[in-house]
Amino acid sequence: RALCPLVPSAPAALRALPPPVAVGVLHTTRPLHTTQQSLAPVPPLPEKGGEVRHGVIPEEFFQFLYPKTGVTGPYMLGTGLLLYLLSKEIYVVNHETVAAACILTVIVYGVKKFGADVAAFADKLNEEKMATALAMKNGAIQTLQTAIEEEKKEQWRVEGRNYLFDAKRNNIAMLLEANYRERLLMVYNEVKKRLDYQVAMQTLKRQKEQDYMIQWVEKNVVQSITPQQQKESIAKCILDLKALSKTAHAAV
Amino acid sequence: MAGRKAALKAVDWAAFAERVPPSQRAMFNALKTRNDALTTRLAALPEKPPAIDWAFYKANVAKAGMVDEFQKKFSALKVPEPVDTQTAKIDAQEKEAAKSIAEYIQASKARIAQYEQQLQKLKNMIPFEQMTLEDLSEAFPETKLNKEKYPYWPHKPIADL
C-alpha cells in the first residue's frame, strides 16, 4: 500500500479491468483500451510544433529561467558554459570543429533559403492526396444518393402497372363491342337491301308498264289521224296563227 | 345485352405515360395507337342500327307474305355476342405481374437499405485529416495492406502501385 499511494485515486474504469494474468503467460490476451474513454477518437495532432528560439532551444527553457534570472539569464548561462568548456579544454578545438562549423553553416543557409518552399511542396503533395480521397468519398456519397433516388423512382414506376392492364382490358372490351355492333349493322343492312330491292323492282316494272302504255296510246292515236282530219287541223292552226299575229301586232 | 356493357374503365393516359420507362416507350406508343384506333372505330358505329319501317314495306311490296316472313325472321334473329377469350389471360398476366412486382419491390427495398447503410457509414466517417493509416484501413477495408501475403514493402504486387 505504501508503494502505490495512487491506487485509491485510480479511475474506476482501470479497477474494473480484469487483473493481469499470472506470471509466465504472455500478456497478449489482456484486454486493453476497451472502455469508453479509450475508444474515443484520438484528438488531432497540433498543427505547429512547440516554440523554439534560435532553432534548437525550446522556449520553455527561457520561461523556466525567467523568474530567477530575467531575460538575459539563459544567454549568460549559455555563454559562461561555452567559455568554461573551451578554456578548460573539456571541449577540444580540432579539425572536426572546423568541419562541423562549415557543415552547419551550409545546412542552416540551405534550410533558411529553401525551407519554406520545400515545406509548401510537401504540403501540396499531401493536400492533393487528401483532395483525391475527399473527392472519391463525395463521389461515392453522390452515387449512393442517386442510386437511392433511382430505386424509389422505379418503385413509383411500378405502380403504373394497373394502367397497363386496364388499358388492355379496355382494348378487348372495345373490340368485342365494335364487333357486335358491326354484326347488328350488317344484319340490318342485308335485310334492308333485300326489301329495297323488291320495292325497286316493283317500281321499275310499273314504270316500264306505264311508259309502254303511253307509247302504245300515242302510236294508236297517230295512226288514227286520217288525212282529212290532218287537213282540217292544219287549216285551223293557220287561222289561229293569223288571229294571234293580229293581236300581237296590236300589242306591239 | 346484359353482358355487353362491361363499363370501360377510364385510363389516365397522362399518368400512365409518366411512368413508362424510356426503354419501353415504343411499346407504350403502340398500345396507345391501338387504343385510339379502337376508340374511333367504336365511336363511328351506332349503338343500335336504325329500325326497319315494316309498315312502308308491307304497303309497297307486292309479294304476299314476304315482308311478314322477313319481319318474323328478323325479330327472331339473335346476333351472337363475340366471346371474350382474352380477359382471363389478361387477369392471369396481371396476377403474375403482381407477384413479380412484389419480389422486385422487395429486392429494391433491400438494395435501398444497403445503400442507406453505406451512406450512413460514409457520412459518419472521421475527416481524412484526422485519420491514421489504421483508421483508413478500417473505414475502407480494400486499402488494407496484406502483410501476410506480401511480407516485404510495399506489401502489394508492384503492378498495383
Side-chain angles (χ1 to χ4, degrees), chain B residues 99-111:
Chain B
K99 240 191 341 190
S100 68
I101 276 169
E103 277 173 23
Y104 177 78
I105 290 194
Q106 282 294 94
S108 175
K109 286 210 167 97
R111 277 198 290 269

Side-chain angles (χ1 to χ4, degrees), chain A residues 87-159:
Chain A
S87 69
K88 285 283 195 178
E89 295 260 317
I90 297 176
Y91 176 70
V92 178
V93 176
N94 53 11
H95 54 282
E96 298 280 343
T97 314
V98 179
C102 297
I103 291 170
L104 281 177
T105 315
V106 171
I107 289 177
V108 167
Y109 173 72
V111 166
K112 276 221 166 357
K113 191 133 189 245
F114 305 110
D117 290 339
V118 170
F121 175 71
D123 279 345
K124 197 158 71 80
L125 286 180
N126 209 24
E127 278 300 316
E128 276 165 19
K129 280 195 208 154
M130 291 294 199
T132 353
L134 202 63
M136 269 173 50
K137 174 178 157 193
N138 285 345
I141 288 184
Q142 207 51 41
T143 325
L144 282 174
Q145 276 173 339
T146 37
I148 290 181
E149 287 299 318
E150 284 288 309
E151 290 284 335
K152 292 209 170 111
K153 192 147 183 236
E154 285 298 315
Q155 282 184 4
W156 172 76
R157 278 223 170 108
V158 147
E159 288 169 18

Side-chain angles (χ1 to χ4, degrees), chain A residues 28-49:
Chain A
T28 48
T29 53
R30 187 168 71 158
L32 289 170
H33 295 298
T34 47
T35 57
Q36 278 306 108
Q37 197 176 25
S38 51
L39 287 176
V42 175
L45 291 173
E47 277 289 312
K48 301 239 167 274

Side-chain angles (χ1 to χ4, degrees), chain A residues 208-251:
Chain A
K208 283 275 171 264
E209 282 173 1
Q210 275 181 339
D211 285 343
Y212 182 68
M213 199 176 297
I214 290 172
Q215 247 185 337
W216 185 82
V217 166
E218 278 181 10
K219 198 168 73 174
N220 278 357
V221 164
V222 165
Q223 272 178 348
S224 70
I225 296 178
T226 59
Q228 177 59 20
Q229 275 181 319
Q230 208 166 356
K231 270 197 204 140
E232 279 178 18
S233 62
I234 285 177
K236 189 144 191 317
C237 285
I238 291 172
L239 280 175
D240 282 334
L241 275 172
K242 281 199 181 139
L244 272 171
S245 67
K246 281 205 190 103
T247 52
H249 270 297

